[in-house]
């Protein structure tokens, strides 16, 4: 029996949300009640000591205030470890958790969707050396839905409280129902980890998952995004360079204001308003005030600020205006392949089909087996020697993990040779 057959057969035993019975699921409550929020150094020292003396993996979660505050800083950190119980820490009152991170550096950290929380944890001095990502583990194990609540209910049979995930965690004091919700996020995280580890081992995928987790823990912070203003929603509607200059000037003015006021940029000025102003190019604040997003709630001073940004773009020399398209980085969009390079287009179709089919055999999302971007890069510039070893070396150079190379280099080599 092949590895793929073994994995496919064992995956059929993976529970799924759809397979859950109709019996009521008990609502989870904190075993020790809701702990007080740690908001001073002496209390923090006690938590550091308790967690350092604890045993086993460390459950970690963080709450941000996305949509309310500027940036992605943490406003609450939740920790749980055997022998130490659950701790809730206010990183506003205790902004440097380096000592805490060092005290538990020997532990495996268990997070759900680790890449979402690691940046804000690093900002306050917490960096894991080892981790287990329960969301990614769920994807690799073949679960169709991998949200924490669904996973806890499906795998462990408990229901988590809902309704507070999108609240303003920068509020102070934090209401008790919010704190109970936050504490529950780490209550069963280690139990979930243990169950998923066993499932991955049963499916023959545990080493794959561990390789993924090690890559996440070792990954450096991403570099600053180039031209972040180009991510303005609706910017594709703006066609002319002068109008793009307006988008850039308004985006930068909004970002400066949002940073200064510690507000989400969308609360300062909506993306749709930026695009509307760029398309209309208003000549004065009266014309600006007539546009969507600049109505009666915008005071005169704000209107003047936005109009000044528009005027700056209007006065820029032609050579300082942004280009309508960014310089190409990597392969062109797949829709252009058939015209630009029909042979490469055929390679891409064959490679996609092969990777998708194998991902279905393994019962995992295709992007976890091999990202679409990596497949595109390989097909646009394939190795001269199209054998499995050369394809594997190309995948390795593009950042693929060893387990991904082992699973895909052969089938990709075949797809490239037959297309």
């Amino acid at each position: 029996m092949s590895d793929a057959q073994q994995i496919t057969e064992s995956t059929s035993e993976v529970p799924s949300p759809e397979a859950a019975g109709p019996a009521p699921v008990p609502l989870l409550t904190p075993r020790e009640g809701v702990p007080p929020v740690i908001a001073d150094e002496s209390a923090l020292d006690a938590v550091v000591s308790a967690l350092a003396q604890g045993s086993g993996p460390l459950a970690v979660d963080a709450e941000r205030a996305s949509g309310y505050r500027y940036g992605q800083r943490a406003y609450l950190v939740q920790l749980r470890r055997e022998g130490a119980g659950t701790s809730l820490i206010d990183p506003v009152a205790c902004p440097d958790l380096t000592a805490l991170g060092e005290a538990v550096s020997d532990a495996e950290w268990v997070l759900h969707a680790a890449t979402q929380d690691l940046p804000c944890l690093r900002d306050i001095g917490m960096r894991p050396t080892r981790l287990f990502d329960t969301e990614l583990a769920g994807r690799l194990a073949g679960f169709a839905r991998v949200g924490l609540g669904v996973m806890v209910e499906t795998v462990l049979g408990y229901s988590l409280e809902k309704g507070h995930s999108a609240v303003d965690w920068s509020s102070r004091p934090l209401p008790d129902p919010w704190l109970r919700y936050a504490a529950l996020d780490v209550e069963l995280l280690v139990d979930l980890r243990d169950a998923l580890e066993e499932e991955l081992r049963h499916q023959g995928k545990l080493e794959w998952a561990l390789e993924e987790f090690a890559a996440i823990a070792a990954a450096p912070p991403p570099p600053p995004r180039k031209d972040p203003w180009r991510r303005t929603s609706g910017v594709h509607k703006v066609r002319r360079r002068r109008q793009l200059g307006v988008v850039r000037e308004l985006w930068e003015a909004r970002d400066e204001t949002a940073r200064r006021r510690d507000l989400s940029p969308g609360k300062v000025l909506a993306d749709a308003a930026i695009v509307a102003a760029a398309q209309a190019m208003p000549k004065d604040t009266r014309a600006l005030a007539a546009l969507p997003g600049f109505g009666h709630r915008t005071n005169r001073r704000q209107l003047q600020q936005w109009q000044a940004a528009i005027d700056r773009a209007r006065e820029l020399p032609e050579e300082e205006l942004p280009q309508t398209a960014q310089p190409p980085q990597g392969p062109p969009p797949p829709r252009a392949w058939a015209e630009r390079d029909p042979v490469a287009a055929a390679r891409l179709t064959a490679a996609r089909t092969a990777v998708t089919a194998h991902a279905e055999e393994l019962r995992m999302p295709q992007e976890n087996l091999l990202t679409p971007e990596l497949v595109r890069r390989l097909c646009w510039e394939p190795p001269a020697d199209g054998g499995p070893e050369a394809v594997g070396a190309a995948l390795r150079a593009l950042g693929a993990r060893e387990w991904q190379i082992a699973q895909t280099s052969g089938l990709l080599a075949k797809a490239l040779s037959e297309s």
Side-chain angles (χ1 to χ4, degrees):
M1 183 181 294
S2 69
D3 290 344
Q5 288 174 321
Q6 290 177 338
I7 292 170
T8 303
E9 290 189 5
S10 64
T11 307
S12 64
E13 299 177 15
V14 175
S16 67
E18 292 77 14
V25 179
L27 185 66
L28 185 66
T29 57
R31 279 172 268 189
E32 301 99 8
V34 179
V37 177
I38 303 303
D40 63 71
E41 293 300 324
S42 61
L44 179 61
D45 290 343
V47 166
V48 170
S49 177
L51 288 170
Q53 295 175 42
S55 61
L58 175 74
V60 185
D61 191 26
E63 305 295 346
R64 299 176 298 278
S66 303
Y68 296 94
R69 296 293 179 180
Y70 186 87
Q72 294 295 314
R73 67 171 296 183
Y75 284 94
L76 187 70
V77 175
Q78 307 101 281
L79 305 165
R80 183 177 179 85
R81 195 177 191 190
E82 183 70 28
T86 298
S87 298
L88 304 179
I89 300 173
D90 180 358
V92 178
C94 302
D96 185 0
L97 299 185
T98 303
L100 172 57
E102 292 173 349
V104 292
S105 62
D106 62 324
E108 175 192 76
W109 295 19
V110 184
L111 302 98
H112 193 81
T115 55
Q116 295 182 19
D117 286 340
L118 286 178
C120 69
L121 291 170
R122 288 190 182 111
D123 287 345
I124 54 178
M126 297 187 65
R127 297 172 178 83
T129 55
R130 294 184 295 131
L131 64 83
F132 190 107
D133 186 334
T134 50
E135 188 214 37
L136 181 52
R139 292 182 185 279
L140 295 175
F143 286 84
R145 300 168 62 199
V146 292
L148 180 59
V150 171
M151 293 290 289
V152 167
E153 185 169 331
T154 303
V155 177
L156 301 178
Y158 286 94
S159 176
L160 295 179
E161 289 190 22
K162 301 177 177 67
H164 301 304
S165 61
V167 299
D168 183 2
W169 289 96
S170 69
S171 302
R172 292 296 184 270
L174 290 168
D176 285 345
W178 297 14
L179 295 175
R180 182 170 59 251
Y181 165 91
L184 289 174
D185 275 356
V186 293
E187 183 80 13
L188 292 180
L189 203 52
V190 172
D191 301 74
L192 179 61
R193 172 235 179 273
D194 293 344
L196 289 172
E197 180 184 57
E198 184 58 33
E199 182 59 44
L200 287 167
R201 181 181 288 108
H202 178 65
Q203 294 184 25
K205 299 176 181 175
L206 181 58
E207 293 303 318
W208 305 355
L210 295 178
E211 197 173 335
E212 290 293 312
F213 303 156
I216 294 172
R225 189 182 297 276
K226 183 180 180 182
D227 291 345
W229 60 270
R230 289 188 183 271
R231 292 176 62 83
T232 304
S233 180
V235 72
H236 63 280
K237 303 174 186 175
V238 180
R239 305 295 185 185
R240 299 175 182 173
R241 292 180 64 195
R242 184 74 56 186
Q243 292 174 320
L244 280 175
V246 171
V247 173
R248 182 177 65 187
E249 293 293 333
L250 281 173
W251 188 96
E252 291 178 351
R254 179 185 70 173
D255 192 66
E256 180 183 349
T257 300
R259 186 191 301 270
R260 186 179 68 251
R261 296 173 60 189
D262 191 18
L263 288 174
S264 168
K267 286 189 171 293
V268 175
L269 185 66
D271 280 7
I274 291 178
V275 171
Q279 291 175 314
M281 297 286 289
K283 292 188 177 354
D284 53 40
T285 55
R286 183 173 181 179
L288 180 63
L291 297 176
F294 297 95
H296 64 280
R297 292 187 178 181
T298 307
N299 62 43
R300 182 174 179 80
R301 183 176 178 181
Q302 289 175 315
L303 283 173
Q304 290 173 338
Q305 175 188 4
W306 305 135
Q307 185 63 46
I310 296 168
D311 292 341
R312 286 196 298 273
R314 185 180 282 112
E315 295 167 3
L316 282 174
E318 191 74 19
E319 62 271 15
E320 295 183 18
L321 293 173
Q323 297 297 322
T324 53
Q326 291 179 288
Q329 295 180 346
R335 62 180 178 273
W337 285 37
E339 181 178 347
R340 292 184 57 177
D341 189 338
V343 175
R347 285 196 298 264
L348 181 61
T349 299
R352 281 174 162 175
T353 300
V355 172
T356 299
H358 194 51
E360 290 174 356
E361 289 179 355
L362 299 177
R363 290 284 298 273
M364 69 172 62
Q366 180 259 317
E367 61 269 21
N368 290 115
L369 176 58
L370 210 58
T371 67
E373 173 65 16
L374 199 153
V375 175
R376 286 195 295 271
R377 287 180 177 271
L378 176 72
C379 291
W380 188 251
E381 295 182 353
D385 174 3
E389 289 188 6
V391 169
L395 291 174
R396 190 174 294 108
L398 290 169
R401 258 75 71 194
E402 292 302 318
W403 76 269
Q404 294 174 317
I405 294 169
Q407 288 294 315
T408 62
S409 59
L411 61 89
L412 284 171
K414 181 179 179 183
L416 294 178
S417 67
E418 295 177 352
S419 58

